[in-house]
Amino acid sequence: MGSLLAFLTAPLGCLMLWRRMAFFADTMAHGTLLGIAMAALLGLPLWFGVGCLSLLLVAILWVLHDSRLPSDALLALCSSALLCGGLLLIQYLPTLRPELLSYLFGDLLALDWPDIPALTVAVVAGVVILLYNWRVQLRLVTDADIATSEGARAGLQRLIFMLLLALFTVLALRAVGSLLMGALLIIPALTARLLAHSPRQMVLWAFVWAQVGIASGLWGSVWLNSSTGLAIVLCMAACFALIFLGQKTLRYLKPL
């Protein structure tokens, strides 16, 4: 499952950096807690509750989009409100309290082989949609005004991007939990940015570092007997730190 998630993590993370929407992933992730609580309250499957809440959040942000309101401030409002609402509701649901940590920080080891087919279909669908819209997305990131004048539908592409992020939140909830989902998207893309010289290279490097972080994090969680989500994010952060410090050191040594 971790390896499959990297196929979505890499391109979505790069698009998030290029669009400067890193905070959007955290907002979507924090909303999953409220989706879990609502699903448990209504006796529905948890993935259904998370999916519906993610779609509702996309609709809310679409309606709230206003030139007078800074997008980061709107995301902060939605993020804090959804997180607090989810935690508050979980307090009144005794059946969810024992599993709260797994929802917050994820547990890949709790998955089994029967979960893989549905995940594979969802990831393939997301990748196909991304490939179909990739060139338009890149044109909008490079110069939105020119892309729009050439016929690109910026609003539709923004909606597609947010819906793909909603799909990712449903899939990644079991992997790293609601609090760490943004890190799974952003850290590999940030690491790739240090090494890449083109958009294609950046996506490929992000895929590589996502795979490295997930694999090393899983083995590290077994070795330390800790949460898989925490170990994965820490391994990804360690990779970023090593590459960043290595490049800085080489840059200072070059004049010598």
Side-chain angles (χ1 to χ4, degrees):
M1 178 175 180
S3 298
L4 285 171
L5 278 177
F7 285 93
L8 271 181
T9 296
L12 283 178
C14 292
L15 281 175
M16 286 189 68
L17 285 189
W18 297 332
R19 283 178 168 269
R20 302 183 184 275
M21 291 179 65
F23 197 33
F24 182 74
D26 285 332
T27 305
M28 296 286 288
H30 293 169
T32 58
L33 275 184
L34 183 57
I36 290 169
M38 293 297 295
L41 185 65
L42 299 174
L44 299 171
L46 296 185
W47 65 266
F48 183 79
V50 173
C52 290
L53 198 282
S54 299
L55 293 175
L56 177 62
L57 178 58
V58 169
I60 291 172
L61 291 173
W62 188 264
V63 171
L64 290 178
H65 184 66
D66 192 312
S67 58
R68 298 170 299 172
L69 303 174
S71 59
D72 55 346
L74 284 176
L75 290 172
L77 166 66
C78 294
S79 177
S80 55
L82 291 172
L83 180 61
C84 293
L87 290 172
L88 182 66
L89 191 54
I90 286 175
Q91 288 183 358
Y92 294 97
L93 296 170
T95 55
L96 289 183
R97 287 182 199 168
E99 300 181 18
L100 180 58
L101 284 180
S102 67
Y103 295 137
L104 291 174
F105 303 113
D107 187 9
L108 265 176
L109 302 179
L111 296 171
D112 207 348
W113 288 108
D115 300 316
I116 298 299
L119 172 76
T120 304
V121 171
V123 169
V124 169
V127 170
V128 168
I129 294 171
L130 263 178
L131 287 174
Y132 183 77
N133 295 279
W134 186 252
R135 289 186 178 180
V136 183
Q137 292 279 350
L138 278 183
R139 284 163 55 200
L140 287 169
V141 167
T142 305
D143 195 320
D145 294 332
I146 293 178
T148 303
S149 66
E150 292 176 349
R153 300 173 65 181
L156 177 62
Q157 292 299 322
R158 182 170 175 268
L159 179 60
I160 290 172
F161 175 67
M162 291 195 297
L163 289 175
L164 286 172
L165 280 178
L167 171 66
F168 177 80
T169 58
V170 176
L171 299 178
L173 178 64
R174 299 286 294 275
V176 291
S178 64
L179 294 185
L180 304 177
M181 222 174 277
L184 189 63
L185 285 167
I186 295 302
I187 298 177
L190 275 178
T191 309
R193 194 162 193 169
L194 297 175
L195 302 168
H197 301 288
S198 68
R200 180 179 296 179
Q201 285 186 15
M202 186 168 166
V203 173
L204 291 175
W205 274 117
F207 177 78
V208 169
W209 289 115
Q211 295 283 12
V212 170
I214 290 170
S216 56
L218 277 173
W219 284 107
S221 70
V222 174
W223 181 49
L224 297 173
N225 193 26
S226 65
S227 167
T228 56
L230 294 174
I232 288 170
V233 171
L234 286 175
C235 286
M236 288 180 174
C239 291
F240 171 81
L242 287 173
I243 293 175
F244 181 79
L245 292 175
Q247 288 185 341
K248 284 287 186 181
T249 303
L250 290 174
R251 191 172 299 171
Y252 282 121
L253 291 178
K254 272 185 180 179
L256 301 177

